Amino acid sequence: MVATLKYEWTETKDHIIIEVNVRGIPKKELEQGTQITKHEVKINAKTKGLIIDLKEKVEYEKAGVELDGEKQKLKITLKKEKSGMWETIEVEKKDKTYRRERRAAAAEEKYKEEKKKRDELKKKKKEE
């Protein structure tokens, strides 16, 4: 059984700031286990984890992730796709099937976007 990491969050009209208590988790585990998609923030470590199904979409490619070793906090800054206040960070629908499908769709979308970028880079290199 993996323990759930505790977090606090704040928001502005354009950003979400999440601070996760990561006490006792090695930096390497955090680097390898932190994943962000348009709908989700996920941290996988050996003994602790966190999944936040975001209420709205974020621009994951603009995410900022900083580790404050002194405070043992991971600060994640996310740019909202649409400006406005969310009031709550997580999607309200708690149905597991819905959440699983939503996460899978976001991961697939991210994969396609990254593949498109890689293909464009390859094409550009061939042209040079």
Side-chain angles (χ1 to χ4, degrees), residues 106-127:
E108 178 69 19
E109 188 176 343
K110 182 178 180 180
Y111 171 79
K112 286 178 180 177
E113 288 173 5
E114 289 174 351
K115 184 179 183 322
K116 182 179 175 183
K117 287 178 187 176
R118 285 190 307 271
D119 291 346
E120 288 171 359
L121 279 173
K122 284 179 186 177
K123 183 179 177 181
K124 189 177 178 181
K125 284 182 180 180
K126 283 183 181 179
E127 290 173 357

Side-chain angles (χ1 to χ4, degrees), residues 4-103:
T4 301
L5 292 165
K6 296 191 185 301
Y7 71 93
E8 295 177 352
W9 73 283
T10 57
E11 70 176 322
T12 66
K13 182 176 74 160
D14 296 313
H15 292 88
I16 293 288
I17 298 101
I18 304 168
E19 286 195 351
V20 184
N21 181 345
V22 293
R23 177 161 297 182
I25 301 175
K27 182 179 178 179
K28 187 172 184 173
E29 277 186 48
L30 292 171
E31 289 170 350
Q32 294 173 345
T34 302
Q35 302 170 355
I36 300 169
T37 67
K38 285 187 176 195
H39 288 289
E40 178 183 77
V41 172
K42 186 175 187 177
I43 300 172
N44 277 331
K46 288 181 182 175
T47 59
K48 298 177 183 178
L50 175 68
I51 298 174
I52 303 172
D53 282 314
L54 299 168
K55 180 179 178 179
E56 302 287 341
K57 290 181 181 180
V58 297
E59 296 179 20
Y60 69 89
E61 61 279 352
K62 295 181 180 177
V65 180
E66 299 173 48
L67 178 61
D68 183 338
E70 194 172 300
K71 291 183 181 177
Q72 299 213 345
K73 300 249 183 196
L74 188 67
K75 181 179 178 182
I76 302 169
T77 304
L78 305 170
K79 181 164 184 359
K80 296 176 180 177
E81 224 176 60
K82 295 180 186 173
S83 291
M85 301 303 275
W86 290 5
E87 309 292 325
T88 181
I89 192 170
E90 290 198 71
V91 67
E92 295 189 20
K93 191 164 186 150
K94 300 292 184 186
D95 178 76
K96 284 184 181 181
T97 302
Y98 170 81
R99 292 179 121 178
R100 195 174 309 121
E101 289 171 356
R102 191 168 179 258
R103 283 187 215 141

